[in-house]
Amino acid sequence: MKLTTTKVIVVAVAAGLLGVVASMLMTGPGPLLRTEPGQRLAQQMLQANAPPAPEGVEVAERGGPVPQFEVARLDGGQWTLPEDFAGQPVLINIWASWCPPCIEEMPELDRFARAQGADGIQVLGIALDEPEAVREFLQKVPVGYPQGIDAPGRADAGVRLGNPRGVLPYSVLVSADGVVLKQRIGPFEHGEIDGWARH
């Protein structure tokens, strides 16, 4: 039986995907998610299986602009993204006080933010949580970078930044002119942000 080139490619792609799934079942997603191709694949899978965003809610995509939206500041007031952070790149980290991987990576985010100084990449945390729970948590585990707060839901900050399934933690690197450069599902390990943030 003669196979066409298209059939061979389809079989090869299917076999490759099965291999990836088998690897994740045996070793977990960690090694794959630590690579840029793995992150892109995970992002595509999440978006393919996600419900559509509510009408009128724009969702950011890699290489595209961050749609304008507002997020409350934990210390009062609000920010308009991306314009209130324009002029410098910003790493936005979506987290919650009840999320163990989020908590584990916060010291690494804080270390990175402090190393950047005033002219480097800004770091912004946005907690999908109750304000009181976040304030209580930050008293125990203080960080130096600013924090926003949002209610989890189908139109929360994470969804608007390209995370329609609400997987936490979730990080996005945004350019100085408001374009999504990178998206990251899962926590950063010690020293990992420095390499990831080089674009």
Side-chain angles (χ1 to χ4, degrees), residues 34-127:
R34 303 236 175 272
T35 68
E36 194 59 26
Q39 281 290 324
R40 286 177 188 250
L41 178 62
Q43 192 73 29
Q44 289 170 357
M45 289 171 66
L46 286 176
Q47 289 175 344
N49 295 316
E55 189 175 334
V57 173
E58 292 183 65
V59 177
E61 294 181 7
R62 186 187 300 253
V66 172
Q68 182 175 312
F69 68 98
E70 293 177 346
V71 65
R73 298 170 54 131
L74 187 62
D75 60 0
Q78 64 185 24
W79 289 299
T80 300
L81 296 173
E83 66 187 59
D84 284 345
F85 292 86
Q88 281 182 270
V90 59
L91 189 163
I92 304 171
N93 177 255
I94 309 294
W95 69 285
S97 65
W98 45 262
C99 164
C102 302
I103 293 165
E104 288 173 22
E105 77 173 350
M106 288 187 82
E108 176 63 6
L109 287 160
D110 193 47
R111 178 204 61 80
F112 178 78
R114 291 177 193 279
Q116 294 302 299
D119 298 324
I121 296 171
Q122 302 170 83
V123 176
L124 169 65
I126 300 178

Coordinates of all heavy atoms in Angstrom, one line a residue, residues 34-127:
R34 N 9.7 23.5 30.9 CA 10.8 24.3 31.1 C 11.4 24.8 29.8 O 12.4 25.5 29.8 CB 11.9 23.6 32.0 CG 11.3 23.2 33.3 CD 12.1 23.7 34.5 NE 11.4 23.4 35.7 CZ 10.5 24.1 36.3 NH1 10.1 25.2 35.8 NH2 10.0 23.7 37.5
T35 N 10.9 24.3 28.7 CA 11.4 24.7 27.4 C 10.4 25.6 26.7 O 9.2 25.6 27.0 CB 11.6 23.5 26.5 OG1 10.3 22.9 26.2 CG2 12.5 22.4 27.2
E36 N 10.9 26.5 25.8 CA 10.0 27.4 25.1 C 9.0 26.6 24.2 O 7.8 27.0 24.2 CB 10.8 28.4 24.3 CG 10.0 29.6 23.8 CD 9.3 30.4 24.9 OE1 9.8 30.4 26.1 OE2 8.3 31.0 24.6
P37 N 9.5 25.6 23.4 CA 8.5 24.8 22.6 C 7.5 24.2 23.5 O 6.3 24.1 23.1 CB 9.4 23.8 21.9 CG 10.7 24.4 21.9 CD 10.9 25.2 23.2
G38 N 7.9 23.7 24.7 CA 6.9 23.0 25.6 C 5.9 24.0 26.1 O 4.7 23.7 26.2
Q39 N 6.3 25.2 26.4 CA 5.4 26.3 26.8 C 4.4 26.6 25.7 O 3.2 26.8 26.0 CB 6.1 27.5 27.3 CG 6.7 27.4 28.7 CD 5.6 27.4 29.7 OE1 4.6 28.1 29.7 NE2 5.9 26.6 30.8
R40 N 4.9 26.7 24.5 CA 4.0 27.1 23.4 C 3.0 26.0 23.1 O 1.8 26.3 22.9 CB 4.8 27.3 22.1 CG 5.6 28.6 22.1 CD 6.4 28.8 20.9 NE 7.3 29.9 21.0 CZ 7.1 31.0 20.3 NH1 6.2 31.1 19.4 NH2 8.0 32.0 20.4
L41 N 3.4 24.7 23.2 CA 2.5 23.6 23.1 C 1.4 23.6 24.2 O 0.3 23.4 23.9 CB 3.3 22.3 23.1 CG 2.4 21.0 23.0 CD1 1.7 20.9 21.6 CD2 3.3 19.8 23.1
A42 N 1.9 23.8 25.4 CA 0.9 23.8 26.5 C -0.1 24.9 26.4 O -1.3 24.7 26.6 CB 1.7 23.9 27.9
Q43 N 0.4 26.1 25.9 CA -0.5 27.2 25.7 C -1.5 26.9 24.7 O -2.7 27.2 24.8 CB 0.4 28.4 25.4 CG -0.4 29.8 25.4 CD -0.7 30.2 26.8 OE1 0.1 29.9 27.7 NE2 -1.8 30.9 27.0
Q44 N -1.1 26.3 23.6 CA -2.0 26.0 22.5 C -3.1 25.0 23.0 O -4.2 25.1 22.6 CB -1.2 25.4 21.3 CG -0.4 26.5 20.6 CD 0.5 25.9 19.5 OE1 0.6 24.7 19.4 NE2 1.2 26.7 18.8
M45 N -2.6 24.0 23.8 CA -3.6 23.0 24.3 C -4.6 23.6 25.2 O -5.8 23.3 25.1 CB -2.8 21.9 25.0 CG -2.0 21.0 24.0 SD -0.9 19.8 24.8 CE -2.1 18.8 25.6
L46 N -4.1 24.5 26.1 CA -5.1 25.2 27.0 C -6.1 26.0 26.2 O -7.3 26.0 26.5 CB -4.3 26.0 28.0 CG -3.5 25.3 29.1 CD1 -2.7 26.3 29.9 CD2 -4.5 24.6 30.0
Q47 N -5.6 26.7 25.2 CA -6.5 27.6 24.5 C -7.5 26.8 23.6 O -8.6 27.2 23.5 CB -5.7 28.6 23.6 CG -5.0 29.6 24.5 CD -4.1 30.6 23.7 OE1 -3.7 30.3 22.6 NE2 -3.8 31.7 24.3
A48 N -7.0 25.7 23.1 CA -7.9 24.8 22.3 C -9.1 24.2 23.1 O -10.1 24.0 22.5 CB -7.1 23.7 21.6
N49 N -8.8 24.0 24.3 CA -9.8 23.3 25.2 C -10.6 24.3 26.1 O -11.4 23.9 26.9 CB -9.2 22.2 26.0 CG -8.6 21.1 25.2 OD1 -9.3 20.7 24.3 ND2 -7.4 20.7 25.5
A50 N -10.3 25.6 25.9 CA -10.9 26.6 26.8 C -12.3 27.1 26.3 O -12.4 27.1 25.1 CB -10.0 27.7 27.0
P51 N -13.2 27.4 27.2 CA -14.4 28.0 26.7 C -14.1 29.4 26.1 O -13.1 30.0 26.5 CB -15.3 28.1 28.0 CG -14.3 28.1 29.1 CD -13.1 27.3 28.6
P52 N -14.9 29.9 25.2 CA -14.7 31.2 24.7 C -14.8 32.3 25.8 O -15.5 32.1 26.7 CB -15.8 31.4 23.6 CG -16.8 30.4 24.0 CD -16.1 29.3 24.7
A53 N -14.0 33.3 25.6 CA -14.1 34.5 26.6 C -15.4 35.1 26.4 O -16.1 35.1 25.4 CB -13.0 35.5 26.3
P54 N -15.9 35.7 27.5 CA -17.2 36.4 27.5 C -17.2 37.5 26.4 O -16.1 38.0 26.1 CB -17.4 37.0 28.8 CG -16.5 36.2 29.7 CD -15.3 35.8 28.9
E55 N -18.3 37.8 25.9 CA -18.5 38.8 24.8 C -17.9 40.1 25.3 O -18.1 40.6 26.5 CB -19.9 39.0 24.5 CG -20.1 39.9 23.3 CD -21.6 40.0 22.9 OE1 -22.4 39.1 23.1 OE2 -21.9 41.0 22.3
G56 N -17.0 40.8 24.5 CA -16.4 42.0 24.8 C -15.1 41.9 25.6 O -14.4 42.9 25.8
V57 N -14.7 40.7 25.9 CA -13.4 40.5 26.6 C -12.3 40.1 25.6 O -12.4 39.1 25.0 CB -13.5 39.4 27.7 CG1 -12.2 39.1 28.3 CG2 -14.5 39.9 28.8
E58 N -11.3 41.0 25.5 CA -10.2 40.7 24.6 C -9.2 39.9 25.3 O -8.9 40.2 26.5 CB -9.6 42.0 24.1 CG -10.5 42.8 23.1 CD -9.8 44.0 22.6 OE1 -8.8 43.9 21.9 OE2 -10.3 45.1 23.0
V59 N -8.6 38.9 24.6 CA -7.6 38.1 25.2 C -6.2 38.3 24.5 O -6.2 38.2 23.3 CB -8.0 36.6 25.1 CG1 -6.9 35.7 25.7 CG2 -9.3 36.4 25.9
A60 N -5.2 38.5 25.3 CA -3.9 38.7 24.7 C -3.3 37.4 24.1 O -3.6 36.3 24.6 CB -2.9 39.2 25.8
E61 N -2.5 37.6 23.0 CA -1.9 36.5 22.4 C -0.4 36.8 22.2 O 0.0 38.0 22.1 CB -2.5 36.2 21.0 CG -3.9 35.7 21.1 CD -4.4 35.4 19.7 OE1 -3.7 35.4 18.7 OE2 -5.6 35.1 19.6
R62 N 0.5 35.8 22.2 CA 1.9 36.0 22.0 C 2.1 36.8 20.7 O 1.6 36.4 19.7 CB 2.6 34.7 22.0 CG 4.1 34.8 21.9 CD 4.7 33.4 21.7 NE 4.3 32.5 22.8 CZ 5.2 32.1 23.7 NH1 6.4 32.5 23.7 NH2 4.8 31.2 24.6
G63 N 2.9 37.8 20.8 CA 3.2 38.6 19.6 C 2.2 39.7 19.3 O 2.4 40.6 18.5
G64 N 1.1 39.7 20.1 CA 0.1 40.8 20.0 C 0.1 41.7 21.1 O 0.7 41.5 22.2
P65 N -0.7 42.8 21.0 CA -0.8 43.8 22.1 C -1.6 43.3 23.3 O -2.5 42.5 23.1 CB -1.4 45.0 21.5 CG -2.3 44.4 20.4 CD -1.5 43.2 19.9
V66 N -1.3 43.7 24.5 CA -2.1 43.5 25.7 C -3.3 44.4 25.5 O -3.2 45.6 25.4 CB -1.3 43.8 27.0 CG1 -2.2 43.7 28.2 CG2 -0.1 42.9 27.1
P67 N -4.5 43.8 25.5 CA -5.7 44.6 25.4 C -5.9 45.5 26.7 O -5.5 45.0 27.8 CB -6.9 43.6 25.3 CG -6.3 42.3 25.8 CD -4.8 42.4 25.6
Q68 N -6.4 46.7 26.6 CA -6.5 47.5 27.8 C -7.5 47.0 28.8 O -8.6 46.6 28.4 CB -6.9 48.9 27.3 CG -7.0 49.9 28.5 CD -7.2 51.3 28.0 OE1 -6.6 51.8 27.2 NE2 -8.2 52.0 28.7
F69 N -7.1 46.9 30.0 CA -8.1 46.6 31.1 C -7.6 47.1 32.4 O -6.4 47.5 32.5 CB -8.3 45.0 31.2 CG -7.1 44.3 31.7 CD1 -7.0 43.9 33.0 CD2 -6.1 43.9 30.8 CE1 -5.9 43.1 33.4 CE2 -5.0 43.1 31.2 CZ -4.9 42.8 32.5
E70 N -8.5 47.2 33.4 CA -8.1 47.8 34.7 C -8.0 46.7 35.7 O -8.7 45.7 35.7 CB -9.2 48.8 35.1 CG -9.2 50.0 34.2 CD -10.2 51.0 34.5 OE1 -11.2 50.7 35.3 OE2 -10.2 52.1 34.0
V71 N -7.1 46.9 36.7 CA -6.9 45.9 37.8 C -6.7 46.8 39.0 O -6.1 47.8 39.0 CB -5.8 45.0 37.5 CG1 -4.4 45.7 37.5 CG2 -5.7 43.9 38.5
A72 N -7.4 46.3 40.1 CA -7.3 47.1 41.4 C -5.9 46.9 42.0 O -5.3 45.8 41.9 CB -8.4 46.5 42.4
R73 N -5.4 47.9 42.6 CA -4.2 47.8 43.4 C -4.5 47.3 44.8 O -5.5 47.7 45.4 CB -3.5 49.2 43.5 CG -3.1 49.8 42.2 CD -2.7 51.3 42.3 NE -1.7 51.4 43.3 CZ -0.6 52.1 43.1 NH1 -0.4 52.7 42.0 NH2 0.3 52.2 44.1
L74 N -3.6 46.5 45.3 CA -3.9 46.0 46.6 C -3.8 47.1 47.7 O -4.6 47.1 48.7 CB -2.9 44.9 47.0 CG -3.1 44.1 48.3 CD1 -4.4 43.4 48.3 CD2 -1.9 43.2 48.6
D75 N -3.0 48.1 47.4 CA -2.9 49.2 48.4 C -3.9 50.4 48.1 O -3.8 51.4 48.6 CB -1.5 49.8 48.4 CG -1.0 50.3 47.0 OD1 -1.8 50.2 46.0 OD2 0.2 50.7 46.9
G76 N -4.8 50.1 47.2 CA -5.9 51.1 46.9 C -5.7 51.7 45.5 O -4.6 51.8 45.0
G77 N -6.7 52.2 44.9 CA -6.7 52.7 43.5 C -6.7 51.6 42.5 O -7.0 50.5 42.8
Q78 N -6.3 51.9 41.3 CA -6.2 50.9 40.2 C -5.2 51.3 39.2 O -4.7 52.4 39.1 CB -7.6 50.7 39.6 CG -8.1 52.0 38.9 CD -9.5 51.8 38.3 OE1 -10.3 51.0 38.8 NE2 -9.9 52.5 37.3
W79 N -4.8 50.3 38.4 CA -3.9 50.5 37.3 C -4.7 50.2 36.0 O -5.6 49.4 36.0 CB -2.8 49.5 37.3 CG -1.7 49.7 38.3 CD1 -0.9 50.8 38.5 CD2 -1.3 48.8 39.3 NE1 -0.1 50.6 39.5 CE2 -0.3 49.4 40.1 CE3 -1.7 47.5 39.7 CZ2 0.3 48.7 41.1 CZ3 -1.1 46.9 40.7 CH2 -0.1 47.5 41.5
T80 N -4.3 50.9 34.9 CA -4.8 50.5 33.6 C -3.7 49.9 32.9 O -2.6 50.5 32.7 CB -5.3 51.8 32.8 OG1 -6.4 52.4 33.6 CG2 -5.8 51.4 31.4
L81 N -3.9 48.6 32.5 CA -2.8 47.9 31.8 C -3.1 48.0 30.3 O -4.3 47.9 29.9 CB -2.8 46.4 32.2 CG -2.4 46.2 33.7 CD1 -2.5 44.8 34.0 CD2 -1.0 46.7 33.9
P82 N -2.1 48.1 29.4 CA -0.7 48.1 29.8 C -0.2 49.5 30.0 O 1.0 49.7 30.3 CB 0.0 47.5 28.5 CG -0.9 47.9 27.4 CD -2.3 47.9 28.0
E83 N -1.0 50.6 29.8 CA -0.5 51.9 29.7 C 0.2 52.4 31.0 O 1.2 53.2 30.9 CB -1.5 52.9 29.2 CG -2.7 53.1 30.2 CD -3.8 54.0 29.6 OE1 -4.3 53.6 28.5 OE2 -4.1 55.0 30.2
D84 N -0.2 52.0 32.2 CA 0.4 52.5 33.4 C 1.8 51.9 33.6 O 2.5 52.3 34.5 CB -0.5 52.2 34.6 CG -1.6 53.1 34.7 OD1 -1.6 54.2 34.0 OD2 -2.6 52.8 35.5
F85 N 2.2 50.9 32.8 CA 3.5 50.3 32.9 C 4.3 50.5 31.6 O 5.3 49.8 31.3 CB 3.4 48.8 33.2 CG 2.9 48.6 34.6 CD1 1.5 48.6 34.9 CD2 3.8 48.4 35.7 CE1 1.1 48.4 36.2 CE2 3.3 48.3 37.0 CZ 2.0 48.3 37.2
A86 N 3.8 51.4 30.7 CA 4.5 51.6 29.4 C 5.9 52.3 29.6 O 6.1 52.9 30.6 CB 3.6 52.6 28.6
G87 N 6.7 52.0 28.7 CA 8.1 52.5 28.7 C 9.1 51.6 29.2 O 10.3 51.8 29.0
Q88 N 8.7 50.5 29.9 CA 9.7 49.5 30.4 C 9.0 48.2 30.2 O 7.8 48.1 30.3 CB 10.0 49.7 31.9 CG 11.0 50.8 32.2 CD 11.3 50.8 33.7 OE1 10.6 51.6 34.4 NE2 12.2 50.1 34.1
P89 N 9.8 47.1 30.0 CA 9.2 45.8 30.0 C 8.6 45.5 31.4 O 9.1 45.9 32.4 CB 10.3 44.9 29.6 CG 11.5 45.7 29.2 CD 11.2 47.1 29.7
V90 N 7.6 44.6 31.4 CA 7.0 44.2 32.7 C 6.7 42.7 32.7 O 6.2 42.2 31.7 CB 5.7 45.0 33.0 CG1 4.7 44.9 32.0 CG2 5.2 44.7 34.4
L91 N 7.1 42.1 33.7 CA 6.8 40.6 34.0 C 5.6 40.6 34.9 O 5.6 41.1 36.0 CB 7.9 39.9 34.6 CG 7.9 38.4 34.7 CD1 9.3 37.8 35.0 CD2 6.9 37.9 35.8
I92 N 4.4 40.2 34.4 CA 3.2 40.1 35.2 C 3.0 38.7 35.6 O 3.0 37.7 34.8 CB 2.0 40.6 34.4 CG1 2.2 42.0 33.8 CG2 0.7 40.5 35.2 CD1 1.2 42.5 32.8
N93 N 2.9 38.5 36.9 CA 2.7 37.1 37.5 C 1.4 37.0 38.1 O 1.0 37.8 39.0 CB 3.8 36.9 38.6 CG 3.7 35.6 39.3 OD1 3.3 35.5 40.4 ND2 4.1 34.5 38.6
I94 N 0.6 36.1 37.7 CA -0.8 35.8 38.2 C -0.6 34.7 39.2 O -0.1 33.6 38.9 CB -1.8 35.4 37.1 CG1 -1.7 36.4 35.9 CG2 -3.2 35.3 37.6 CD1 -2.2 37.8 36.2
W95 N -1.2 34.9 40.4 CA -1.0 34.0 41.5 C -2.1 34.0 42.5 O -3.1 34.8 42.3 CB 0.3 34.3 42.3 CG 0.3 35.6 43.1 CD1 0.4 36.9 42.5 CD2 0.2 35.8 44.5 NE1 0.3 37.8 43.6 CE2 0.2 37.1 44.7 CE3 0.1 34.8 45.5 CZ2 0.0 37.6 46.0 CZ3 -0.1 35.3 46.8 CH2 -0.1 36.7 47.1
A96 N -2.1 33.2 43.5 CA -3.1 33.2 44.6 C -2.4 32.7 45.9 O -1.5 31.9 45.8 CB -4.3 32.3 44.2
S97 N -2.9 33.1 47.0 CA -2.3 32.8 48.3 C -2.5 31.3 48.7 O -1.8 30.8 49.5 CB -2.9 33.7 49.4 OG -4.3 33.4 49.6
W98 N -3.5 30.6 48.0 CA -3.8 29.2 48.3 C -3.1 28.3 47.3 O -3.3 27.1 47.4 CB -5.3 29.0 48.2 CG -6.0 29.6 47.0 CD1 -6.6 30.8 46.9 CD2 -5.9 29.1 45.6 NE1 -7.1 31.1 45.6 CE2 -6.6 30.0 44.8 CE3 -5.4 28.0 45.0 CZ2 -6.8 29.9 43.5 CZ3 -5.6 27.8 43.7 CH2 -6.3 28.7 42.9
C99 N -2.2 28.8 46.4 CA -1.6 28.1 45.4 C -0.1 27.8 45.8 O 0.7 28.7 45.7 CB -1.6 28.9 44.1 SG -0.5 28.4 42.8
P100 N 0.2 26.5 46.2 CA 1.6 26.2 46.7 C 2.7 26.5 45.7 O 3.7 27.1 46.1 CB 1.5 24.7 47.0 CG 0.1 24.5 47.4 CD -0.7 25.4 46.5
P101 N 2.5 26.2 44.4 CA 3.6 26.6 43.5 C 3.8 28.1 43.3 O 4.9 28.5 43.1 CB 3.2 25.9 42.1 CG 2.2 24.9 42.5 CD 1.5 25.4 43.7
C102 N 2.7 28.8 43.5 CA 2.8 30.3 43.4 C 3.7 30.8 44.6 O 4.5 31.7 44.4 CB 1.4 30.9 43.5 SG 0.3 30.4 42.2
I103 N 3.4 30.3 45.7 CA 4.1 30.7 46.9 C 5.6 30.3 46.8 O 6.4 31.1 47.2 CB 3.4 30.0 48.2 CG1 2.0 30.6 48.3 CG2 4.2 30.2 49.4 CD1 1.1 29.8 49.3
E104 N 5.9 29.2 46.3 CA 7.2 28.7 46.2 C 8.1 29.6 45.3 O 9.3 29.8 45.5 CB 7.3 27.3 45.7 CG 6.8 26.2 46.7 CD 6.7 24.8 46.1 OE1 7.4 24.6 45.1 OE2 6.0 24.0 46.7
E105 N 7.5 30.2 44.3 CA 8.2 31.0 43.3 C 8.3 32.4 43.7 O 9.1 33.2 43.1 CB 7.7 30.9 41.9 CG 6.4 31.7 41.6 CD 6.0 31.7 40.2 OE1 6.7 31.2 39.3 OE2 4.9 32.2 40.0
M106 N 7.6 32.9 44.7 CA 7.6 34.3 45.1 C 8.9 34.8 45.5 O 9.3 35.9 45.1 CB 6.5 34.6 46.1 CG 5.1 34.5 45.5 SD 3.8 35.1 46.5 CE 3.9 36.8 46.3
P107 N 9.7 34.1 46.3 CA 11.1 34.6 46.6 C 11.9 34.8 45.4 O 12.7 35.8 45.3 CB 11.6 33.6 47.5 CG 10.4 32.9 48.1 CD 9.4 32.9 47.1
E108 N 11.8 33.9 44.4 CA 12.5 34.1 43.1 C 12.1 35.3 42.3 O 12.9 36.0 41.8 CB 12.4 32.8 42.3 CG 13.0 32.8 40.9 CD 14.5 33.0 41.0 OE1 15.1 32.9 42.1 OE2 15.1 33.2 39.9
L109 N 10.8 35.5 42.3 CA 10.3 36.8 41.6 C 10.8 38.0 42.3 O 11.2 39.0 41.7 CB 8.7 36.7 41.6 CG 8.1 35.8 40.6 CD1 6.7 35.5 41.0 CD2 8.2 36.3 39.2
D110 N 10.8 38.0 43.7 CA 11.2 39.1 44.4 C 12.7 39.4 44.2 O 13.2 40.5 44.0 CB 11.0 38.9 45.9 CG 11.1 40.1 46.8 OD1 10.6 41.2 46.3 OD2 11.8 40.1 47.8
R111 N 13.5 38.3 44.2 CA 15.0 38.4 43.9 C 15.2 39.0 42.5 O 16.0 40.0 42.4 CB 15.6 37.0 43.9 CG 17.1 37.1 43.6 CD 17.7 35.8 43.1 NE 17.1 35.3 41.9 CZ 17.4 35.8 40.6 NH1 18.3 36.7 40.5 NH2 16.8 35.3 39.6
F112 N 14.4 38.6 41.5 CA 14.6 39.1 40.2 C 14.2 40.6 40.1 O 14.9 41.4 39.5 CB 13.7 38.3 39.2 CG 13.7 38.8 37.8 CD1 14.8 38.5 37.0 CD2 12.7 39.5 37.3 CE1 14.8 39.0 35.7 CE2 12.7 40.0 36.0 CZ 13.8 39.7 35.2
A113 N 13.1 40.9 40.8 CA 12.6 42.3 40.8 C 13.6 43.2 41.4 O 13.9 44.3 40.9 CB 11.3 42.4 41.5
R114 N 14.2 42.8 42.5 CA 15.2 43.6 43.2 C 16.5 43.8 42.3 O 17.1 44.9 42.3 CB 15.6 43.0 44.6 CG 14.4 43.1 45.6 CD 14.8 42.5 46.9 NE 13.7 42.3 47.7 CZ 13.1 43.2 48.5 NH1 13.6 44.4 48.5 NH2 12.1 42.9 49.2
A115 N 16.9 42.8 41.6 CA 18.0 42.8 40.8 C 17.9 43.7 39.6 O 18.8 44.3 39.0 CB 18.4 41.4 40.3
Q116 N 16.6 44.0 39.2 CA 16.3 44.8 38.0 C 16.6 46.3 38.2 O 16.9 47.0 37.3 CB 14.9 44.6 37.5 CG 14.6 43.2 37.0 CD 15.6 42.8 35.8 OE1 15.6 43.5 34.8 NE2 16.4 41.8 36.0
G117 N 16.3 46.7 39.5 CA 16.5 48.1 39.8 C 15.4 48.9 39.1 O 14.4 48.4 38.5
A118 N 15.6 50.3 39.0 CA 14.6 51.2 38.5 C 14.5 51.1 37.0 O 13.4 51.4 36.4 CB 14.9 52.6 38.9
D119 N 15.5 50.7 36.3 CA 15.5 50.8 34.8 C 15.4 49.4 34.1 O 15.3 49.3 32.9 CB 16.8 51.4 34.3 CG 17.0 52.8 34.8 OD1 16.0 53.5 34.9 OD2 18.1 53.2 35.1
G120 N 15.2 48.3 34.9 CA 15.1 47.0 34.3 C 13.7 46.6 34.1 O 12.8 47.4 34.0
I121 N 13.5 45.3 34.0 CA 12.1 44.8 33.8 C 11.3 44.9 35.1 O 11.8 44.6 36.2 CB 12.2 43.3 33.5 CG1 12.9 43.1 32.1 CG2 10.8 42.6 33.4 CD1 13.2 41.6 31.8
Q122 N 10.2 45.6 35.0 CA 9.3 45.7 36.2 C 8.6 44.4 36.5 O 8.4 43.6 35.6 CB 8.2 46.8 35.9 CG 8.8 48.1 35.6 CD 7.7 49.1 35.1 OE1 7.0 49.7 35.9 NE2 7.5 49.2 33.8
V123 N 8.3 44.1 37.7 CA 7.6 42.9 38.1 C 6.3 43.4 38.8 O 6.3 44.3 39.6 CB 8.4 42.0 39.0 CG1 7.5 40.8 39.5 CG2 9.6 41.5 38.4
L124 N 5.2 42.8 38.3 CA 3.8 43.1 38.9 C 3.2 41.8 39.2 O 3.0 40.9 38.4 CB 3.0 43.9 37.9 CG 1.5 44.0 38.2 CD1 1.3 44.9 39.4 CD2 0.8 44.7 37.0
G125 N 2.7 41.6 40.5 CA 1.9 40.5 40.8 C 0.5 40.8 40.8 O 0.1 42.0 41.2
I126 N -0.4 39.9 40.3 CA -1.8 40.1 40.4 C -2.4 38.8 41.0 O -2.3 37.8 40.4 CB -2.4 40.3 39.0 CG1 -1.8 41.6 38.3 CG2 -4.0 40.5 39.1 CD1 -2.4 41.9 36.9
A127 N -3.0 39.0 42.2 CA -3.5 37.9 42.9 C -5.0 37.7 42.5 O -5.8 38.6 42.6 CB -3.4 38.1 44.4

